[in-house]
Amino acid sequence: MALNNDTPIALGFVRKPRGLSGELVVGLYQPNSEVFRAGLSVVIKTKKDFLHTKIEYVKKTGHRLIVKFEHINDCETAEAYAGAEIVCRFDLLPKKRPNEFYVFNLVGLKVVDFSGEVFGEVLDVLNLPANDVLVLNTKDGEVMIPFIKQIVKSVSIEEKVIVVNNIRDFIL
């Protein structure tokens, strides 16, 4: 997928309103993401409408993310955005450090071994407590492999390939 600065990237969704001041409980598509931060410009999209806004503040309470957006200042307005999707432009996302990737960078990449044998294509990345897991579409169906350095030897977004080691244990 060719990304340009204007490409909208889905970050998460509004679960429900919280309190009287327009705060919203937000679910992230990448749960451990640090993308949500004060000042980030986003679009909140409902089925009928959309709102260009900025994040005023973010609070993490346990496993919940509480977000206050500009222009949403009461519970009635907040209620209208329950279930809405939150997107932002690609160029507004924080730059990743080396060997860090967004899920959308990995989906669609071919997974090969050192000899170049293709095992499959990345369908999704699951964020699990122990480590992230790549979900592959293979000729034998879906296969999950740990996204850890002992297995994943290199990732090239430019070449659209992930080189892995010891994958046969997962494909048997």
Side-chain angles (χ1 to χ4, degrees):
M1 157 156 91
L3 300 174
N4 60 42
N5 287 342
D6 294 332
T7 302
I9 304 297
L11 302 177
F13 57 96
V14 176
R15 291 184 185 276
K16 62 182 181 176
R18 177 186 180 269
L20 302 174
S21 65
E23 292 179 331
L24 296 166
V25 178
V26 170
L28 297 178
Y29 293 137
Q30 237 176 320
N32 293 332
S33 175
E34 299 296 323
V35 171
F36 269 66
R37 65 193 185 287
L40 179 66
S41 293
V42 297
V43 176
I44 303 175
K45 296 172 33 176
T46 67
K47 292 179 181 176
K48 299 178 183 177
D49 201 4
F50 59 91
L51 172 68
H52 290 271
T53 187
K54 285 187 178 182
I55 296 175
E56 286 185 18
Y57 60 82
V58 177
K59 296 189 288 189
K60 194 167 190 176
T61 59
H63 296 293
R64 297 186 335 159
L65 197 64
I66 310 299
V67 182
K68 175 68 174 76
F69 296 95
E70 290 179 358
H71 312 297
I72 302 176
N73 298 312
D74 57 65
C75 59
E76 291 81 22
T77 305
E79 184 65 43
Y81 292 100
E85 186 165 54
I86 303 166
V87 301
C88 84
R89 290 178 14 177
F90 174 70
D91 64 334
L92 298 178
L93 294 175
K95 303 301 178 225
K96 289 291 196 174
R97 294 180 292 231
N99 296 320
E100 287 186 340
F101 308 95
Y102 287 109
V103 171
F104 62 81
N105 289 133
L106 300 174
V107 171
L109 297 187
K110 287 188 179 152
V111 177
V112 303
D113 68 6
F114 287 113
S115 71
E117 180 183 353
V118 177
F119 289 105
E121 183 177 294
V122 178
L123 288 177
D124 198 2
V125 180
L126 304 177
N127 182 264
L128 301 178
N131 52 263
D132 289 342
V133 172
L134 298 174
V135 180
L136 307 182
N137 182 22
T138 72
K139 64 181 179 184
D140 299 320
E142 285 187 14
V143 173
M144 292 188 258
I145 61 169
F147 192 35
I148 56 176
K149 63 184 174 183
Q150 292 87 346
I151 305 264
V152 176
K153 295 304 177 184
S154 67
V155 176
S156 174
I157 303 299
E158 297 78 26
E159 295 177 24
K160 299 181 179 174
V161 67
I162 297 174
V163 178
V164 296
N165 189 22
N166 298 329
I167 195 171
R168 294 235 181 261
D169 296 337
F170 298 96
I171 297 193
L172 293 176

PDB file of all heavy atoms in Angstrom, residues 52-80:
ATOM      1  N   HIS A  52     -13.478  17.233  12.551  1.00  0.00           N
ATOM      2  CA  HIS A  52     -12.048  17.524  12.597  1.00  0.00           C
ATOM      3  C   HIS A  52     -11.777  18.152  13.953  1.00  0.00           C
ATOM      4  O   HIS A  52     -12.394  19.160  14.304  1.00  0.00           O
ATOM      5  CB  HIS A  52     -11.654  18.503  11.482  1.00  0.00           C
ATOM      6  CG  HIS A  52     -11.715  17.901  10.128  1.00  0.00           C
ATOM      7  ND1 HIS A  52     -10.643  17.248   9.570  1.00  0.00           N
ATOM      8  CD2 HIS A  52     -12.713  17.857   9.223  1.00  0.00           C
ATOM      9  CE1 HIS A  52     -10.996  16.813   8.368  1.00  0.00           C
ATOM     10  NE2 HIS A  52     -12.249  17.162   8.139  1.00  0.00           N
ATOM     11  N   THR A  53     -10.867  17.568  14.721  1.00  0.00           N
ATOM     12  CA  THR A  53     -10.629  18.040  16.081  1.00  0.00           C
ATOM     13  C   THR A  53      -9.196  17.746  16.491  1.00  0.00           C
ATOM     14  O   THR A  53      -8.424  17.165  15.717  1.00  0.00           O
ATOM     15  CB  THR A  53     -11.640  17.400  17.061  1.00  0.00           C
ATOM     16  OG1 THR A  53     -11.493  17.994  18.338  1.00  0.00           O
ATOM     17  CG2 THR A  53     -11.477  15.902  17.145  1.00  0.00           C
ATOM     18  N   LYS A  54      -8.859  18.134  17.694  1.00  0.00           N
ATOM     19  CA  LYS A  54      -7.557  17.833  18.287  1.00  0.00           C
ATOM     20  C   LYS A  54      -7.777  17.204  19.659  1.00  0.00           C
ATOM     21  O   LYS A  54      -8.783  17.448  20.308  1.00  0.00           O
ATOM     22  CB  LYS A  54      -6.728  19.105  18.470  1.00  0.00           C
ATOM     23  CG  LYS A  54      -6.148  19.645  17.202  1.00  0.00           C
ATOM     24  CD  LYS A  54      -5.219  20.798  17.502  1.00  0.00           C
ATOM     25  CE  LYS A  54      -4.621  21.284  16.192  1.00  0.00           C
ATOM     26  NZ  LYS A  54      -3.667  22.374  16.426  1.00  0.00           N
ATOM     27  N   ILE A  55      -6.801  16.437  20.073  1.00  0.00           N
ATOM     28  CA  ILE A  55      -6.845  15.843  21.400  1.00  0.00           C
ATOM     29  C   ILE A  55      -6.393  16.904  22.409  1.00  0.00           C
ATOM     30  O   ILE A  55      -5.325  17.494  22.259  1.00  0.00           O
ATOM     31  CB  ILE A  55      -5.939  14.600  21.482  1.00  0.00           C
ATOM     32  CG1 ILE A  55      -6.464  13.510  20.546  1.00  0.00           C
ATOM     33  CG2 ILE A  55      -5.834  14.100  22.919  1.00  0.00           C
ATOM     34  CD1 ILE A  55      -5.578  12.286  20.450  1.00  0.00           C
ATOM     35  N   GLU A  56      -7.237  17.140  23.418  1.00  0.00           N
ATOM     36  CA  GLU A  56      -6.871  18.071  24.489  1.00  0.00           C
ATOM     37  C   GLU A  56      -5.992  17.379  25.520  1.00  0.00           C
ATOM     38  O   GLU A  56      -4.987  17.922  25.958  1.00  0.00           O
ATOM     39  CB  GLU A  56      -8.116  18.635  25.173  1.00  0.00           C
ATOM     40  CG  GLU A  56      -8.844  19.654  24.344  1.00  0.00           C
ATOM     41  CD  GLU A  56     -10.009  20.280  25.103  1.00  0.00           C
ATOM     42  OE1 GLU A  56     -10.072  20.193  26.352  1.00  0.00           O
ATOM     43  OE2 GLU A  56     -10.874  20.858  24.433  1.00  0.00           O
ATOM     44  N   TYR A  57      -6.415  16.188  25.957  1.00  0.00           N
ATOM     45  CA  TYR A  57      -5.597  15.429  26.898  1.00  0.00           C
ATOM     46  C   TYR A  57      -5.987  13.960  26.837  1.00  0.00           C
ATOM     47  O   TYR A  57      -7.040  13.585  26.331  1.00  0.00           O
ATOM     48  CB  TYR A  57      -5.704  15.958  28.335  1.00  0.00           C
ATOM     49  CG  TYR A  57      -7.087  15.934  28.956  1.00  0.00           C
ATOM     50  CD1 TYR A  57      -7.613  14.776  29.522  1.00  0.00           C
ATOM     51  CD2 TYR A  57      -7.863  17.092  28.985  1.00  0.00           C
ATOM     52  CE1 TYR A  57      -8.871  14.769  30.105  1.00  0.00           C
ATOM     53  CE2 TYR A  57      -9.118  17.099  29.572  1.00  0.00           C
ATOM     54  CZ  TYR A  57      -9.619  15.931  30.126  1.00  0.00           C
ATOM     55  OH  TYR A  57     -10.867  15.930  30.700  1.00  0.00           O
ATOM     56  N   VAL A  58      -5.087  13.138  27.365  1.00  0.00           N
ATOM     57  CA  VAL A  58      -5.279  11.690  27.415  1.00  0.00           C
ATOM     58  C   VAL A  58      -4.972  11.235  28.833  1.00  0.00           C
ATOM     59  O   VAL A  58      -3.966  11.637  29.409  1.00  0.00           O
ATOM     60  CB  VAL A  58      -4.335  10.965  26.431  1.00  0.00           C
ATOM     61  CG1 VAL A  58      -4.492   9.455  26.532  1.00  0.00           C
ATOM     62  CG2 VAL A  58      -4.566  11.434  25.005  1.00  0.00           C
ATOM     63  N   LYS A  59      -5.858  10.405  29.399  1.00  0.00           N
ATOM     64  CA  LYS A  59      -5.633   9.806  30.714  1.00  0.00           C
ATOM     65  C   LYS A  59      -5.747   8.298  30.563  1.00  0.00           C
ATOM     66  O   LYS A  59      -6.663   7.807  29.909  1.00  0.00           O
ATOM     67  CB  LYS A  59      -6.686  10.274  31.729  1.00  0.00           C
ATOM     68  CG  LYS A  59      -6.657  11.738  32.035  1.00  0.00           C
ATOM     69  CD  LYS A  59      -7.570  12.097  33.193  1.00  0.00           C
ATOM     70  CE  LYS A  59      -9.023  12.020  32.840  1.00  0.00           C
ATOM     71  NZ  LYS A  59      -9.933  12.558  33.861  1.00  0.00           N
ATOM     72  N   LYS A  60      -4.814   7.595  31.165  1.00  0.00           N
ATOM     73  CA  LYS A  60      -4.886   6.140  31.171  1.00  0.00           C
ATOM     74  C   LYS A  60      -5.287   5.721  32.572  1.00  0.00           C
ATOM     75  O   LYS A  60      -4.623   6.058  33.543  1.00  0.00           O
ATOM     76  CB  LYS A  60      -3.540   5.539  30.785  1.00  0.00           C
ATOM     77  CG  LYS A  60      -3.624   4.079  30.455  1.00  0.00           C
ATOM     78  CD  LYS A  60      -2.361   3.601  29.785  1.00  0.00           C
ATOM     79  CE  LYS A  60      -2.615   2.203  29.278  1.00  0.00           C
ATOM     80  NZ  LYS A  60      -1.504   1.675  28.538  1.00  0.00           N
ATOM     81  N   THR A  61      -6.407   5.019  32.666  1.00  0.00           N
ATOM     82  CA  THR A  61      -6.888   4.526  33.957  1.00  0.00           C
ATOM     83  C   THR A  61      -7.048   3.021  33.846  1.00  0.00           C
ATOM     84  O   THR A  61      -7.984   2.540  33.217  1.00  0.00           O
ATOM     85  CB  THR A  61      -8.222   5.182  34.349  1.00  0.00           C
ATOM     86  OG1 THR A  61      -9.189   4.906  33.338  1.00  0.00           O
ATOM     87  CG2 THR A  61      -8.087   6.679  34.500  1.00  0.00           C
ATOM     88  N   GLY A  62      -6.103   2.299  34.417  1.00  0.00           N
ATOM     89  CA  GLY A  62      -6.124   0.839  34.285  1.00  0.00           C
ATOM     90  C   GLY A  62      -5.914   0.474  32.828  1.00  0.00           C
ATOM     91  O   GLY A  62      -4.949   0.887  32.202  1.00  0.00           O
ATOM     92  N   HIS A  63      -6.850  -0.268  32.270  1.00  0.00           N
ATOM     93  CA  HIS A  63      -6.759  -0.677  30.868  1.00  0.00           C
ATOM     94  C   HIS A  63      -7.543   0.258  29.951  1.00  0.00           C
ATOM     95  O   HIS A  63      -7.624   0.024  28.752  1.00  0.00           O
ATOM     96  CB  HIS A  63      -7.276  -2.112  30.695  1.00  0.00           C
ATOM     97  CG  HIS A  63      -6.456  -3.122  31.423  1.00  0.00           C
ATOM     98  ND1 HIS A  63      -5.166  -3.417  31.074  1.00  0.00           N
ATOM     99  CD2 HIS A  63      -6.722  -3.883  32.509  1.00  0.00           C
ATOM    100  CE1 HIS A  63      -4.680  -4.325  31.893  1.00  0.00           C
ATOM    101  NE2 HIS A  63      -5.614  -4.624  32.782  1.00  0.00           N
ATOM    102  N   ARG A  64      -8.122   1.311  30.528  1.00  0.00           N
ATOM    103  CA  ARG A  64      -8.949   2.219  29.727  1.00  0.00           C
ATOM    104  C   ARG A  64      -8.177   3.476  29.358  1.00  0.00           C
ATOM    105  O   ARG A  64      -7.363   3.972  30.127  1.00  0.00           O
ATOM    106  CB  ARG A  64     -10.214   2.610  30.489  1.00  0.00           C
ATOM    107  CG  ARG A  64     -11.104   1.432  30.764  1.00  0.00           C
ATOM    108  CD  ARG A  64     -12.423   1.748  31.375  1.00  0.00           C
ATOM    109  NE  ARG A  64     -12.503   2.970  32.139  1.00  0.00           N
ATOM    110  CZ  ARG A  64     -13.638   3.593  32.404  1.00  0.00           C
ATOM    111  NH1 ARG A  64     -14.769   3.101  31.979  1.00  0.00           N
ATOM    112  NH2 ARG A  64     -13.649   4.695  33.115  1.00  0.00           N
ATOM    113  N   LEU A  65      -8.479   3.977  28.186  1.00  0.00           N
ATOM    114  CA  LEU A  65      -7.914   5.224  27.709  1.00  0.00           C
ATOM    115  C   LEU A  65      -9.040   6.248  27.664  1.00  0.00           C
ATOM    116  O   LEU A  65     -10.037   6.047  26.971  1.00  0.00           O
ATOM    117  CB  LEU A  65      -7.323   5.016  26.313  1.00  0.00           C
ATOM    118  CG  LEU A  65      -6.367   6.059  25.804  1.00  0.00           C
ATOM    119  CD1 LEU A  65      -5.110   6.109  26.660  1.00  0.00           C
ATOM    120  CD2 LEU A  65      -5.980   5.737  24.370  1.00  0.00           C
ATOM    121  N   ILE A  66      -8.898   7.326  28.430  1.00  0.00           N
ATOM    122  CA  ILE A  66      -9.887   8.389  28.475  1.00  0.00           C
ATOM    123  C   ILE A  66      -9.318   9.569  27.688  1.00  0.00           C
ATOM    124  O   ILE A  66      -8.206  10.032  27.975  1.00  0.00           O
ATOM    125  CB  ILE A  66     -10.178   8.840  29.928  1.00  0.00           C
ATOM    126  CG1 ILE A  66     -10.485   7.645  30.826  1.00  0.00           C
ATOM    127  CG2 ILE A  66     -11.264   9.898  29.952  1.00  0.00           C
ATOM    128  CD1 ILE A  66     -11.679   6.830  30.426  1.00  0.00           C
ATOM    129  N   VAL A  67     -10.064  10.045  26.701  1.00  0.00           N
ATOM    130  CA  VAL A  67      -9.572  11.105  25.839  1.00  0.00           C
ATOM    131  C   VAL A  67     -10.571  12.253  25.813  1.00  0.00           C
ATOM    132  O   VAL A  67     -11.779  12.038  25.695  1.00  0.00           O
ATOM    133  CB  VAL A  67      -9.339  10.586  24.398  1.00  0.00           C
ATOM    134  CG1 VAL A  67      -8.778  11.682  23.505  1.00  0.00           C
ATOM    135  CG2 VAL A  67      -8.416   9.373  24.406  1.00  0.00           C
ATOM    136  N   LYS A  68     -10.037  13.466  25.892  1.00  0.00           N
ATOM    137  CA  LYS A  68     -10.858  14.676  25.768  1.00  0.00           C
ATOM    138  C   LYS A  68     -10.459  15.351  24.469  1.00  0.00           C
ATOM    139  O   LYS A  68      -9.290  15.649  24.241  1.00  0.00           O
ATOM    140  CB  LYS A  68     -10.604  15.618  26.963  1.00  0.00           C
ATOM    141  CG  LYS A  68     -11.312  16.958  26.857  1.00  0.00           C
ATOM    142  CD  LYS A  68     -12.815  16.800  26.964  1.00  0.00           C
ATOM    143  CE  LYS A  68     -13.535  18.135  26.998  1.00  0.00           C
ATOM    144  NZ  LYS A  68     -13.626  18.798  25.709  1.00  0.00           N
ATOM    145  N   PHE A  69     -11.442  15.544  23.596  1.00  0.00           N
ATOM    146  CA  PHE A  69     -11.237  16.186  22.305  1.00  0.00           C
ATOM    147  C   PHE A  69     -11.784  17.607  22.338  1.00  0.00           C
ATOM    148  O   PHE A  69     -12.772  17.883  23.034  1.00  0.00           O
ATOM    149  CB  PHE A  69     -11.968  15.413  21.196  1.00  0.00           C
ATOM    150  CG  PHE A  69     -11.449  14.023  20.980  1.00  0.00           C
ATOM    151  CD1 PHE A  69     -12.041  12.935  21.606  1.00  0.00           C
ATOM    152  CD2 PHE A  69     -10.376  13.789  20.147  1.00  0.00           C
ATOM    153  CE1 PHE A  69     -11.580  11.650  21.409  1.00  0.00           C
ATOM    154  CE2 PHE A  69      -9.899  12.501  19.936  1.00  0.00           C
ATOM    155  CZ  PHE A  69     -10.504  11.430  20.566  1.00  0.00           C
ATOM    156  N   GLU A  70     -11.170  18.482  21.560  1.00  0.00           N
ATOM    157  CA  GLU A  70     -11.727  19.826  21.391  1.00  0.00           C
ATOM    158  C   GLU A  70     -13.107  19.703  20.763  1.00  0.00           C
ATOM    159  O   GLU A  70     -13.367  18.768  19.988  1.00  0.00           O
ATOM    160  CB  GLU A  70     -10.830  20.673  20.480  1.00  0.00           C
ATOM    161  CG  GLU A  70      -9.506  21.049  21.090  1.00  0.00           C
ATOM    162  CD  GLU A  70      -8.640  21.881  20.141  1.00  0.00           C
ATOM    163  OE1 GLU A  70      -9.031  22.139  18.990  1.00  0.00           O
ATOM    164  OE2 GLU A  70      -7.548  22.266  20.585  1.00  0.00           O
ATOM    165  N   HIS A  71     -14.001  20.627  21.048  1.00  0.00           N
ATOM    166  CA  HIS A  71     -15.350  20.709  20.476  1.00  0.00           C
ATOM    167  C   HIS A  71     -16.331  19.673  21.030  1.00  0.00           C
ATOM    168  O   HIS A  71     -17.473  19.620  20.584  1.00  0.00           O
ATOM    169  CB  HIS A  71     -15.346  20.632  18.944  1.00  0.00           C
ATOM    170  CG  HIS A  71     -14.354  21.522  18.293  1.00  0.00           C
ATOM    171  ND1 HIS A  71     -14.404  22.891  18.393  1.00  0.00           N
ATOM    172  CD2 HIS A  71     -13.259  21.248  17.543  1.00  0.00           C
ATOM    173  CE1 HIS A  71     -13.396  23.413  17.723  1.00  0.00           C
ATOM    174  NE2 HIS A  71     -12.684  22.449  17.214  1.00  0.00           N
ATOM    175  N   ILE A  72     -15.883  18.816  21.926  1.00  0.00           N
ATOM    176  CA  ILE A  72     -16.795  17.874  22.592  1.00  0.00           C
ATOM    177  C   ILE A  72     -16.732  18.222  24.075  1.00  0.00           C
ATOM    178  O   ILE A  72     -15.784  17.828  24.761  1.00  0.00           O
ATOM    179  CB  ILE A  72     -16.409  16.403  22.328  1.00  0.00           C
ATOM    180  CG1 ILE A  72     -16.399  16.115  20.832  1.00  0.00           C
ATOM    181  CG2 ILE A  72     -17.377  15.467  23.050  1.00  0.00           C
ATOM    182  CD1 ILE A  72     -15.944  14.719  20.462  1.00  0.00           C
ATOM    183  N   ASN A  73     -17.724  18.980  24.532  1.00  0.00           N
ATOM    184  CA  ASN A  73     -17.637  19.567  25.870  1.00  0.00           C
ATOM    185  C   ASN A  73     -18.755  19.178  26.821  1.00  0.00           C
ATOM    186  O   ASN A  73     -18.840  19.713  27.916  1.00  0.00           O
ATOM    187  CB  ASN A  73     -17.574  21.090  25.753  1.00  0.00           C
ATOM    188  CG  ASN A  73     -16.333  21.529  25.002  1.00  0.00           C
ATOM    189  OD1 ASN A  73     -15.234  21.064  25.291  1.00  0.00           O
ATOM    190  ND2 ASN A  73     -16.508  22.389  24.016  1.00  0.00           N
ATOM    191  N   ASP A  74     -19.621  18.250  26.384  1.00  0.00           N
ATOM    192  CA  ASP A  74     -20.701  17.821  27.278  1.00  0.00           C
ATOM    193  C   ASP A  74     -21.074  16.386  26.938  1.00  0.00           C
ATOM    194  O   ASP A  74     -20.700  15.861  25.891  1.00  0.00           O
ATOM    195  CB  ASP A  74     -21.916  18.761  27.169  1.00  0.00           C
ATOM    196  CG  ASP A  74     -22.439  18.867  25.752  1.00  0.00           C
ATOM    197  OD1 ASP A  74     -22.925  17.846  25.215  1.00  0.00           O
ATOM    198  OD2 ASP A  74     -22.357  19.971  25.167  1.00  0.00           O
ATOM    199  N   CYS A  75     -21.835  15.781  27.829  1.00  0.00           N
ATOM    200  CA  CYS A  75     -22.165  14.357  27.655  1.00  0.00           C
ATOM    201  C   CYS A  75     -23.075  14.121  26.452  1.00  0.00           C
ATOM    202  O   CYS A  75     -22.979  13.081  25.801  1.00  0.00           O
ATOM    203  CB  CYS A  75     -22.744  13.771  28.926  1.00  0.00           C
ATOM    204  SG  CYS A  75     -24.228  14.554  29.532  1.00  0.00           S
ATOM    205  N   GLU A  76     -23.954  15.060  26.129  1.00  0.00           N
ATOM    206  CA  GLU A  76     -24.857  14.878  24.979  1.00  0.00           C
ATOM    207  C   GLU A  76     -24.057  14.834  23.661  1.00  0.00           C
ATOM    208  O   GLU A  76     -24.297  13.986  22.809  1.00  0.00           O
ATOM    209  CB  GLU A  76     -25.915  15.986  24.908  1.00  0.00           C
ATOM    210  CG  GLU A  76     -26.948  15.936  26.009  1.00  0.00           C
ATOM    211  CD  GLU A  76     -26.452  16.560  27.317  1.00  0.00           C
ATOM    212  OE1 GLU A  76     -25.503  17.390  27.286  1.00  0.00           O
ATOM    213  OE2 GLU A  76     -26.988  16.191  28.377  1.00  0.00           O
ATOM    214  N   THR A  77     -23.107  15.762  23.514  1.00  0.00           N
ATOM    215  CA  THR A  77     -22.266  15.766  22.311  1.00  0.00           C
ATOM    216  C   THR A  77     -21.424  14.500  22.268  1.00  0.00           C
ATOM    217  O   THR A  77     -21.291  13.869  21.217  1.00  0.00           O
ATOM    218  CB  THR A  77     -21.361  17.011  22.289  1.00  0.00           C
ATOM    219  OG1 THR A  77     -22.172  18.177  22.405  1.00  0.00           O
ATOM    220  CG2 THR A  77     -20.558  17.087  21.006  1.00  0.00           C
ATOM    221  N   ALA A  78     -20.847  14.124  23.400  1.00  0.00           N
ATOM    222  CA  ALA A  78     -20.012  12.925  23.463  1.00  0.00           C
ATOM    223  C   ALA A  78     -20.793  11.679  23.066  1.00  0.00           C
ATOM    224  O   ALA A  78     -20.278  10.812  22.355  1.00  0.00           O
ATOM    225  CB  ALA A  78     -19.437  12.773  24.873  1.00  0.00           C
ATOM    226  N   GLU A  79     -22.050  11.589  23.498  1.00  0.00           N
ATOM    227  CA  GLU A  79     -22.893  10.425  23.183  1.00  0.00           C
ATOM    228  C   GLU A  79     -23.043  10.232  21.676  1.00  0.00           C
ATOM    229  O   GLU A  79     -23.104   9.103  21.184  1.00  0.00           O
ATOM    230  CB  GLU A  79     -24.261  10.588  23.839  1.00  0.00           C
ATOM    231  CG  GLU A  79     -25.185   9.405  23.666  1.00  0.00           C
ATOM    232  CD  GLU A  79     -24.685   8.144  24.355  1.00  0.00           C
ATOM    233  OE1 GLU A  79     -24.217   8.232  25.502  1.00  0.00           O
ATOM    234  OE2 GLU A  79     -24.771   7.066  23.738  1.00  0.00           O
ATOM    235  N   ALA A  80     -23.072  11.314  20.905  1.00  0.00           N
ATOM    236  CA  ALA A  80     -23.243  11.234  19.453  1.00  0.00           C
ATOM    237  C   ALA A  80     -22.061  10.551  18.766  1.00  0.00           C
ATOM    238  O   ALA A  80     -22.180  10.103  17.624  1.00  0.00           O
ATOM    239  CB  ALA A  80     -23.438  12.642  18.878  1.00  0.00           C
TER     240      ALA A  80
END
